[in-house]
C-alpha cells in the first residue's frame, strides 16, 4: 500500500533537499531556522546540514525574526537576492511585499499600505501574518535591517547616518534591531567585515585608469553646487545573469539626458536620473567580469540618505535581480523552438522600471511606432518638459518629466498625431490627479482594465505597462509585429496551413502565436523578450 505525502510534507522535503545540496538557487526564496542553534540561514549555508526535526522553514527573514531566531554570521542570509515569488504571486501578499520593498510602510505607515491595497489595516496584518509569518511592520523592519547591514559592511558612512538611511526612527532603535537580528552591535559588525575597495571603484579604475574612481565622484562632495549623499554598493543577483542583454534593452530605449548606457567594454554600464521620495538623484550600475559573478555594482547619488533602500529596491526591479533564471530557462527550453534562444542567452532578464508613471507615458508614445522613433519623441519631451539635473555622471542632465509636467507640456513638444498627443495629455492628467492609479502594488487584471478603459489605449499598451511596472512574468503582447518576426526567425511552428500559394494574414499569425504562447506560461514575458531579440539583426543580438 502506498501513501501520498501531504503538500506540506512534500514542500518540506523539497526544501530540505535544497539545503542538503546547498543549492544557491534557493537563496532568498526561503530561510532555514534551526531550533538547536537559534539561528536562521540561507539554503546554501556551508555549515553542517541540521537534522530535519530541528528545522523550520520560513518564507521571509521577518518571520524568522518574529519566531526568535537570529541571522547566521557565516552565510549572511540578509545578503541573499530577494525572492521572485512577489512578482509571480498576484494575490494580496505579493502586492503588499512589492509595496513594502518600495518603502511604503516607512513613508505612509500600515494605514497607507492598507489604503493602497484597498483593505483595512487589520485585514492586511492578519493576512500577511498568516501567509508569510509576519505582519507589515515586522516585514518593513527586516528590510531596514537588511539595508543597514549592507551599508555597515559595504560603506564608510557614519553609523548614525546608516541608521537614518536604512529607515530607522532613532539610533537606539537601529542599535537594538541590529543586535537582535545579527547578535552583534553595528560597530562590531563593521569591524569584523573584511573591507576591500568597492567593486564599482575597482572596475572603473581598471577601465578609466588610476584615480578615475575618486575623480569622478567624491563621497559626500557636491555636484552642481548641491550637496548629495554618494555611496558605492553591491547588489546580489542569481546566476546566470544576462547583464549585457538587460542593459542593451534599456540602452535601445534610453532617453537623452535621462539615461546613458555603455556596452563597449567587457563590463556594461547603465545610469539614469531618479525621482525619489526625498528628492532627485541618480544611479549608475556596472556589471560584468570586472565586478565579478553574482553581483552588480551600484553608485548612488541621492538628495537624502533616507532614499537608499528605495533606490536599491527600484534598481533591483529595473534589472530583475530577484528573478529565478534557472526556473525560467528550464521551462522555456522545454520548447524545441525556444531552446536554442535560451541556450544562446541564459539568464535573460525582464526589465522593470524605477517610475510607473514614466512607463505609462513611454508606452503610449511608443504605440504603433518604432523603438527608435519613440526614443526621439521622448527625448524631445524630456528636453522641453523635464527638470534640469546636474550629475557627476556624464550625460545625465534631466529628470524624466512628471505626470503634471507631461500634461502641461506634451502638446508643445510631441510631434505625434493629435489623437496620440491627446491620449498622452489626458492620461498624464489622470495620473497626476489620481483618477488613474498605476503602481507596483496594483492587481494586474485591474491595472489592464483601467488602462484599456481609457480612450486611445489598447491591449498592447496595457500588457506592456503590466510587464514593465508589475514585472508580470506572464504578460503577452498580442499583435506585436516584432514578436511575429522573432517567431519566424526562431522557426516557431504556428500550426497554420501552408499550401505554398496563400500567406496567412498578420491577424491570423498573431492569433496562432498567442495560442502557441500559452504553453510558455507562466513565463510568457520572458519568451517575448527572447523573440524580440531573435527579431534583431545578428549584430545586435
Amino acid at each position: 500500500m502506498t501513501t501520498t505525502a501531504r503538500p506540506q510534507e512534500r514542500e518540506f522535503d523539497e526544501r530540505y533537499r535544497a539545503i542538503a545540496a546547498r543549492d544557491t538557487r534557493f537563496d532568498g526564496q526561503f530561510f532555514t531556522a534551526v531550533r538547536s542553534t537559534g539561528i536562521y540561514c540561507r539554503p546554501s549555508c556551508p555549515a553542517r546540514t541540521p537534522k530535519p526535526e530541528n528545522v523550520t522553514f520560513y518564507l521571509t527573514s521577518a518571520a524568522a525574526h518574529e519566531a526568535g531566531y537570529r541571522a547566521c554570521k557565516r552565510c549572511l542570509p540578509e545578503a541573499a537576492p530577494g525572492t521572485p515569488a512577489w512578482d509571480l504571486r498576484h494575490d494580496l501578499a505579493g502586492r503588499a511585499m512589492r509595496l513594502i520593498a518600495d518603502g511604503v510602510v516607512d513613508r505612509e505607515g500600515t494605514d497607507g499600505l492598507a489604503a493602497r491595497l484597498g483593505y483595512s489595516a487589520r485585514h492586511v496584518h492578519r493576512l500577511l501574518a498568516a501567509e508569510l509569518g509576519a505582519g507589515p511592520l515586522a516585514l518593513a523592519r527586516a528590510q531596514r535591517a537588511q539595508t543597514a547591514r549592507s551599508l555597515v559592511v559595504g560603506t564608510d558612512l557614519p553609523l548614525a547616518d546608516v541608521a537614518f538611511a536604512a529607515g530607522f526612527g532613532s539610533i537606539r532603535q537601529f542599535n537594538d534591531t541590529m543586535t537582535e537580528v545579527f547578535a552583534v552591535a553595528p560597530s562590531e559588525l563593521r569591524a569584523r567585515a573584511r573591507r576591500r575597495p568597492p567593486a564599482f571603484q575597482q572596475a572603473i579604475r581598471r577601465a578609466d585608469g588610476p584615480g578615475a574612481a575618486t575623480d569622478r565622484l567624491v563621497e559626500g562632495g557636491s555636484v552642481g553646487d548641491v550637496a548629495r549623499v554618494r555611496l558605492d554598493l553591491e547588489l546580489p543577483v542569481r546566476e546566470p545573469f544576462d547583464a549585457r542583454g538587460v542593459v542593451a534593452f534599456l540602452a535601445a530605449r534610453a532617453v537623452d539626458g535621462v539615461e546613458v548606457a555603455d556596452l563597449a567594454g567587457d563590463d556594461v554600464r547603465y545610469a539614469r536620473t531618479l525621482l525619489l521620495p526625498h528628492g532627485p538623484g541618480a544611479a549608475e550600475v556596472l556589471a560584468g567580469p570586472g565586478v565579478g559573478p553574482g553581483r552588480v555594482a551600484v553608485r548612488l547619488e541621492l538628495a537624502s540618505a533616507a532614499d537608499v533602500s528605495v533606490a536599491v529596491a527600484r534598481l533591483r526591479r529595473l534589472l530583475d535581480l530577484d528573478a529565478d533564471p534557472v526556473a525560467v530557462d528550464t521551462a522555456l527550453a522545454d520548447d524545441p523552438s525556444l531552446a536554442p534562444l535560451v541556450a544562446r542567452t541564459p539568464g535573460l532578464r525582464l526589465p522593470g522600471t524605477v517610475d510607473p508613471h514614466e512607463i505609462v507615458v513611454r508606452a503610449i508614445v511608443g504605440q504603433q511606432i518604432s523603438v527608435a522613433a519613440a526614443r526621439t519623441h521622448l527625448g524631445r519631451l524630456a528636453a522641453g518638459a523635464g527638470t534640469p539635473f546636474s550629475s557627476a555622471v556624464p550625460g545625465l542632465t534631466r529628470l524624466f518629466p512628471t505626470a503634471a509636467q507631461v500634461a502641461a507640456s506634451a502638446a508643445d513638444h510631441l510631434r505625434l498625431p493629435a489623437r496620440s498627443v491627446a491620449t498622452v495629455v489626458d492620461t498624464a492628467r489622470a495620473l497626476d490627479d489620481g483618477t488613474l492609479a498605476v503602481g507596483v502594488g496594483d492587481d494586474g487584471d485591474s491595472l489592464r482594465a483601467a488602462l484599456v478603459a481609457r480612450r486611445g489605449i489598447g491591449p498592447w499598451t496595457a500588457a506592456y505597462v503590466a510587464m514593465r511596472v508589475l514585472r508580470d512574468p506572464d504578460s503577452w503582447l498580442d499583435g506585436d509585429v516584432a514578436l511575429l518576426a522573432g517567431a519566424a526567425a526562431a522557426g516557431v511552428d504556428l500550426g497554420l496551413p501552408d499550401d505554398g500559394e496563400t500567406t496567412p494574414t498578420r491577424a491570423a499569425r498573431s492569433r496562432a502565436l498567442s495560442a502557441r504562447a500559452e504553453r510558455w506560461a507562466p513565463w510568457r514575458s520572458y519568451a517575448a523578450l527572447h523573440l524580440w531579440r531573435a527579431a534583431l539583426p545578428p549584430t545586435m543580438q
Side-chain angles (χ1 to χ4, degrees):
M1 177 179 177
T2 60
T3 59
T4 302
R6 291 176 296 185
Q8 296 91 337
E9 294 173 345
R10 289 199 301 272
E11 185 177 73
F12 183 95
D13 290 343
E14 290 169 357
R15 290 174 176 171
Y16 191 81
R17 286 196 296 272
I19 68 170
R22 295 173 175 79
D23 193 334
T24 58
R25 181 164 68 94
F26 294 95
D27 286 353
Q29 299 199 42
F30 64 85
F31 298 87
T32 307
V34 185
R35 283 186 287 275
S36 56
T37 61
I39 66 171
Y40 69 92
C41 306
R42 61 168 77 191
S44 66
C45 183
R48 185 173 61 182
T49 304
K51 296 179 180 179
E53 57 267 25
N54 289 330
V55 169
T56 302
F57 294 115
Y58 293 100
L59 285 178
T60 66
S61 61
H65 297 165
E66 292 293 280
Y69 294 94
R70 67 182 186 277
C72 176
K73 298 176 183 177
R74 186 171 183 181
C75 70
L76 300 175
E78 304 296 331
T83 174
W86 315 134
D87 295 316
L88 283 168
R89 291 178 64 159
H90 302 294
D91 58 2
L92 184 62
R95 295 169 56 203
M97 287 301 292
R98 294 198 295 269
L99 289 170
I100 292 170
D102 198 54
V104 168
V105 171
D106 291 336
R107 294 193 301 273
E108 304 173 20
T110 55
D111 288 339
L113 173 68
R116 286 176 177 251
L117 294 169
Y119 293 89
S120 69
R122 179 177 295 181
H123 178 75
V124 171
H125 183 278
R126 183 169 57 245
L127 183 138
L128 292 180
E131 290 276 335
L132 307 179
L137 287 176
L139 291 164
R141 177 174 176 261
Q143 178 172 294
R144 287 194 291 272
Q146 179 179 355
T147 301
R149 187 211 63 81
S150 65
L151 293 175
V152 167
V153 304
T155 76
D156 292 318
L157 199 65
L159 293 180
D161 292 344
V162 168
F164 296 110
F168 290 99
S170 68
I171 295 175
R172 178 176 180 178
Q173 184 187 62
F174 161 66
N175 286 327
D176 290 347
T177 298
M178 297 296 284
T179 301
E180 180 182 343
V181 172
F182 301 109
V184 62
S187 57
E188 187 179 353
L189 185 64
R190 172 165 283 177
R192 290 181 178 182
R194 291 183 295 177
R195 300 302 303 279
R196 57 183 173 81
F200 201 104
Q201 292 185 17
Q202 295 183 66
I204 286 182
R205 189 174 291 118
R206 281 190 294 271
D208 297 344
T214 9
D215 293 342
R216 290 185 58 197
L217 193 60
V218 180
E219 185 172 323
S222 64
V223 176
D225 297 325
V226 178
R228 297 199 180 110
V229 176
R230 296 176 181 84
L231 298 170
D232 288 340
L233 299 171
E234 293 178 9
L235 308 183
V237 57
R238 292 185 184 87
E239 293 286 344
F241 174 48
D242 178 31
R244 184 168 295 275
V246 70
V247 171
F249 181 97
L250 296 171
R253 294 157 179 80
V255 175
D256 289 345
V258 176
E259 303 165 277
V260 293
D262 182 3
L263 295 157
D266 292 335
D267 294 332
V268 294
R269 301 189 203 182
Y270 170 79
R272 66 156 296 150
T273 56
L274 305 167
L275 186 57
L276 298 165
H278 295 87
E284 187 175 8
V285 299
L286 188 69
V291 178
R295 54 197 173 119
V296 172
V298 173
R299 174 162 287 176
L300 295 176
E301 180 182 336
L302 306 174
S304 169
D307 281 331
V308 170
S309 62
V310 176
V312 167
R314 293 181 183 181
L315 289 173
R316 294 195 69 83
R317 293 186 62 79
L318 177 68
L319 302 175
D320 198 12
L321 299 187
D322 294 329
D324 183 349
V326 175
V328 177
D329 289 354
T330 300
L332 295 182
D334 279 343
D335 188 309
S337 298
L338 295 185
L341 306 183
V342 173
R344 185 168 60 198
T345 313
L348 178 142
R349 291 305 204 264
L350 172 61
T353 182
V354 295
D355 185 341
H357 289 185
E358 177 184 317
I359 284 295
V360 175
V361 173
R362 285 176 178 255
I364 296 173
V365 170
Q367 291 182 134
Q368 299 180 337
I369 62 176
S370 69
V371 170
R375 180 180 178 183
T376 299
H377 288 294
L378 290 164
R380 191 178 297 117
L381 177 63
T387 302
F389 181 84
S390 181
S391 170
V393 180
L396 296 187
T397 59
R398 295 198 168 268
L399 299 172
F400 193 88
T402 64
Q405 290 171 324
V406 172
S409 304
D412 297 327
H413 303 295
L414 288 178
R415 299 173 187 172
L416 293 168
R419 290 182 59 183
S420 297
V421 174
T423 299
V424 172
V425 171
D426 292 344
T427 304
R429 188 175 294 122
L431 290 169
D432 182 49
D433 65 22
T435 305
L436 175 63
V438 177
V440 298
D442 290 350
D443 170 72
D445 291 339
S446 299
L447 174 60
R448 291 182 183 89
L451 290 170
V452 171
R454 303 194 64 83
R455 180 177 298 179
I457 298 181
W460 183 95
T461 302
Y464 184 78
V465 170
M467 176 188 285
R468 297 291 304 277
V469 171
L470 304 182
R471 284 193 43 263
D472 181 354
D474 200 33
S475 196
W476 183 254
L477 287 76
D478 195 18
D480 187 278
V481 177
L483 288 179
L484 287 174
V492 177
D493 182 9
L494 302 183
L496 294 172
D498 183 7
D499 57 13
E501 297 181 1
T502 59
T503 301
T505 65
R506 192 173 81 182
R509 287 184 288 125
S510 291
R511 288 193 297 270
L513 181 57
S514 295
R516 181 76 160 74
E518 291 180 2
R519 70 179 67 180
W520 302 329
W523 309 112
R524 282 179 288 184
S525 295
Y526 291 91
L529 288 168
H530 277 295
L531 294 181
W532 276 341
R533 181 172 294 189
L536 295 172
T539 55
M540 298 177 63
Q541 292 181 7

